[in-house]
Amino acid sequence: MTYRLVEFELSKPPPAIELTPEENGVGLIGRWNDQLVGFEMIAVHSGSTLSAEELRTLADQRFAPRVLIAMMEAELTAGGSRHKPLPSLSIAICTKDRAERLSRLLHSLDAVRDNSPFGQVEIVVVDNASTDSATREAVESFDGIRYVFEPKAGLDFARNAALQAATGALIAYLDDDVVVDRNWLMGLAKACSDNPGAGGFTGLVLPYRLDTEAQIYFERRGGFGRGFYRNEFRGSRFDNPLHPVGSGVLGAGCNMAFERALLIELGGFDEALDTGAPLPGGGDLDIFYRVLRSGRTMVYEPQFAVYHEHRETIAQLRRQYWSWGLGMMAFLVKSSRSDHELRSRHDAMVRWWFVDQTRMLVRAASALRGRDVRFGLNELWGGICGLAGEYDRSCTRTKAIRELNR
């Protein structure tokens, strides 16, 4: 099972797409005048052809509303607008033993940083206790990139090392398994210009490839998708009484940016979350939540987009769902203790999450969707482990790591 990713410009006639016998679907990435406006997965017979007429019909059915909005936005901004100069930007990449993927990301940044709308841009690579010199060598093969070695293994240790090493007023964090869209910097610049008081930004995450069953399955279950409409998040929402506790709706940690002074004021990332293999999650939820609780807004901007390499195997995907449950509950346990004012919302979120997961599990079982049942059980089990003392165990582990590296 393989889906071909196809990007097509909706303002021009679409070309026909001829699939190979190994391909049985397409992931259509739609653009309007180079702006990302939609993504759709279309299942077809292996080796078949999608004609230009079929693609025009698909475009009308799936992308028309967003294209209309893009056209209206273009009209409204046609006269230009005055904005303050953009702040300096640090791009932080935290990585461990994945030099090949790091190089792929740095190549994608090389392609966009020369035309940066930001006055000054630096790239900081934090080598998070890699076991060999490949990461350093990969960085040295590019011009103008700073290398920082963080001996304490754990993603939030590395994120805090980047925070201390960076010099930009704004800091953008990228995971090493993404590449940036050609409009990534322009998307972040637009979000900054239009929202000068925002404390942080998140962006669209599309699949980098859909070559395996696991990658297709993950994307069909929602992936990291947060849609193609800009969204501004504040500390409260009329349509969600639990907000901002469910901070996962804001975006994903593989593509996020913050005012650096605000992160420092907040004390940086919680190093007991997103620690790597033992607790691979929760750090992004925690920092989104704390930014909102500080009174600052966060903005989701779809043009601030990256392409993420999803898990290749079903076993890896099962572990990812387990880690989502684990990270979510570890974050809720920590936040419930530290934010007494909203403790009742945290408790309510825990109850809602388990009820919702159970409902999805029952629906999947009723429909005899065995794989969805197994994924659901993994996420539910992760949640139970997270609730059963994982944050405390992680605090103990991180304390030991700090003492070991004194």
Side-chain angles (χ1 to χ4, degrees), residues 268-290:
F269 291 85
D270 184 340
E271 294 170 343
L273 295 170
D274 258 333
T275 61
L279 177 52
D284 51 356
L285 304 178
D286 179 64
I287 201 65
F288 297 160
Y289 175 80
R290 287 159 58 208

Side-chain angles (χ1 to χ4, degrees), residues 11-34:
S11 61
K12 298 177 181 176
I17 301 172
E18 295 182 20
L19 299 180
T20 67
E22 292 75 31
E23 295 171 329
N24 55 358
V26 292
L28 295 174
I29 300 171
R31 290 183 186 267
W32 175 263
N33 288 338
D34 208 33

Side-chain angles (χ1 to χ4, degrees), residues 211-403:
D211 292 346
T212 71
E213 184 182 16
Q215 291 169 338
I216 293 168
Y217 210 84
F218 176 67
E219 197 60 38
R220 282 210 174 280
R221 295 188 95 226
F224 292 109
R226 300 293 187 279
F228 288 80
Y229 297 96
R230 181 186 288 189
N231 209 341
E232 182 177 339
F233 297 92
R234 299 178 183 275
S236 62
R237 290 178 61 168
F238 294 115
D239 62 341
N240 184 356
L242 298 183
H243 185 77
V245 174
S247 54
V249 298
L250 273 67
C254 63
N255 181 31
M256 57 186 180
F258 304 92
E259 182 186 286
R260 192 168 67 89
L262 174 62
L263 285 195
I264 292 171
E265 182 184 326
L266 293 174
F269 291 85
D270 184 340
E271 294 170 343
L273 295 170
D274 258 333
T275 61
L279 177 52
D284 51 356
L285 304 178
D286 179 64
I287 201 65
F288 297 160
Y289 175 80
R290 287 159 58 208
V291 168
L292 293 181
R293 289 292 286 153
S294 75
R296 303 288 292 277
T297 59
M298 286 205 57
V299 175
Y300 171 80
E301 168 55 60
Q303 303 306 319
F304 177 44
V306 300
Y307 301 86
H308 177 266
E309 176 132 15
H310 298 339
R311 302 295 186 269
E312 282 190 319
T313 68
I314 294 297
Q316 291 171 341
L317 189 52
R318 279 202 299 268
R319 178 173 168 74
Q320 177 166 319
Y321 285 120
W322 171 80
S323 73
W324 280 9
L326 186 77
M328 177 71 174
M329 287 302 133
F331 152 68
L332 288 175
V333 167
K334 173 262 173 90
S335 298
S336 177
R337 291 177 186 170
S338 58
D339 191 345
H340 299 289
E341 186 182 350
L342 295 191
R343 175 172 288 180
S344 62
R345 292 193 202 181
H346 290 92
D347 295 343
M349 175 59 82
V350 170
R351 291 193 296 273
W352 176 87
W353 188 88
F354 278 100
V355 169
D356 188 58
Q357 291 293 321
T358 304
R359 283 177 180 158
M360 287 194 290
L361 204 54
V362 170
R363 281 199 295 270
S366 301
L368 302 178
R369 300 198 308 268
R371 184 159 285 165
D372 280 327
V373 171
R374 289 188 286 277
F375 286 145
L377 285 171
N378 276 273
E379 191 161 1
L380 200 56
W381 179 241
I384 292 170
C385 294
L387 203 59
E390 181 56 34
Y391 183 69
D392 292 330
R393 291 190 291 274
S394 190
C395 287
T396 302
R397 287 194 297 268
T398 51
K399 181 181 178 183
I401 292 171
R402 287 192 196 98
E403 290 176 352

